[in-house]
Amino acid sequence: MAIKLYDLAGENPDRRFSPYCWRTKMALTHKGLEFETIPWRFTDKEKIAFSGSERVPVIVDGDQVVADSWKIATYLEDTYRERPSLFGGVHSRAAALFINSWADTVLNPTLARLLVMGILEHLDPGDRDYFRESREKRFGITLEEFSADVEGNTKALRAVLEPLRLTLASQPFLGGDTPLYADYIVFGSLQWARSIGKTRLLELNDPVEAWRSRLLDSFGGFARNAHGYW
Ligand SMILES: N[C@@H](CCC(=O)N[C@@H](CS)C(=O)NCC(=O)O)C(=O)O
């Protein structure tokens, strides 16, 4: 039976923009597991209440329910051991947790400033007030103030990506010759940007852009075929 994934969607149910759900979709695809996605909106809390989480991704795999993208990745790795590894071993799994924490605490907050207005624009109308109120409470300023300095925020993003850029100068993927979950963590953030942001955030000659393009094309263009702008 196919694994079910609750996946954040916009007004257009095909616009899937959660960076964390993208990590999970890439992980499921890497493992070659059959899955179906259920479009979920921020205010659909009761639909995932059974999981004990108020956030997506949530997966249902038979009688197993797992919430949180990192927990899902480790669950898939430990449950489907005979399938292609997401981490390539226990030591690289331990190091991937650092990348997960970096993406959550440095990369995503930097991107959020560039993306909040695009998110608002693409949200289901029923989610818009919730999104504005919850985020303005979290940031302590209006969304317009939070996102005002587009030039500065774009520069900050490119600077934050420098460790990735340096790494990709000597290897095609964070996983080495082939992509691993570490790649999907960071790629998920760029899928967030691609799915709701009309502005290209990376220069075409940036090695990060070349890496992103390789991942967009991976698995028969799975990610490139998703709704997005660039
Ligand atoms: N640490 C969690 C974060 C998940 C998360 O923040 N998901 C967002 C969507 S991108 C969400 O469901 N937010 C619900 C809300 O803000 O009410 C993970 O890695 O899965």
Side-chain angles (χ1 to χ4, degrees), residues 9-223:
E11 178 170 23
N12 177 343
D14 290 334
R15 193 174 301 283
R16 306 299 175 88
F17 62 94
S18 161
Y20 307 103
C21 292
W22 269 106
R23 293 177 190 177
T24 298
K25 283 180 282 190
M26 295 301 283
L28 287 162
T29 306
H30 179 106
K31 283 275 182 200
L33 291 163
E34 208 189 315
F35 67 99
E36 64 187 56
T37 60
I38 301 163
W40 180 87
R41 308 276 167 24
F42 280 115
T43 46
D44 284 342
K45 302 287 183 213
E46 80 292 348
K47 291 193 185 154
I48 55 167
F50 66 89
S51 71
S53 173
E54 296 203 328
R55 293 168 182 234
V56 290
V58 169
I59 63 160
V60 181
D61 183 15
D63 58 4
Q64 298 294 311
V65 176
V66 190
D68 185 89
S69 59
W70 178 260
K71 285 191 187 144
I72 293 170
T74 57
Y75 164 81
L76 295 176
E77 184 73 347
D78 295 341
T79 307
Y80 298 100
R81 287 173 188 273
E82 74 290 359
R83 288 172 177 264
S85 174
L86 285 169
F87 298 108
V90 286
H91 305 299
S92 40
R93 171 161 159 171
L97 183 56
F98 170 80
I99 294 177
N100 205 73
S101 305
W102 171 78
D104 290 0
T105 59
V106 180
L107 177 59
N108 288 353
T110 306
L111 265 171
R113 290 186 180 267
L114 290 159
L115 302 183
V116 279
M117 297 316 291
I119 297 172
L120 195 62
E121 182 190 332
H122 290 95
L123 280 183
D124 191 71
D127 270 0
R128 288 184 192 154
D129 287 350
Y130 167 79
F131 182 77
R132 181 179 279 282
E133 280 161 28
S134 60
R135 271 46 182 183
E136 290 189 345
K137 191 169 168 209
R138 185 187 297 173
F139 305 144
I141 46 177
T142 66
L143 296 186
E144 286 75 8
E145 287 163 337
F146 183 69
S147 59
D149 182 9
V150 176
E151 201 185 323
N153 294 335
T154 306
K155 271 195 195 143
L157 172 69
R158 291 180 186 164
V160 150
L161 289 171
E162 189 59 13
L164 178 64
R165 196 171 289 119
L166 283 175
T167 308
L168 295 173
S170 51
Q171 59 193 58
F173 295 102
L174 293 177
D177 290 337
T178 55
L180 289 176
Y181 191 67
D183 290 273
Y184 308 143
I185 294 168
V186 186
F187 179 70
S189 302
L190 295 176
Q191 280 297 88
W192 181 30
R194 177 182 185 269
S195 58
I196 47 83
K198 293 175 187 158
T199 310
R200 167 175 285 285
L201 296 178
L202 298 170
E203 310 266 17
L204 286 172
N205 63 359
D206 187 335
V208 176
E209 176 60 9
W211 164 85
R212 186 181 79 99
S213 189
R214 288 194 287 280
L215 286 167
L216 281 168
D217 290 334
S218 64
F219 309 119
F222 169 67

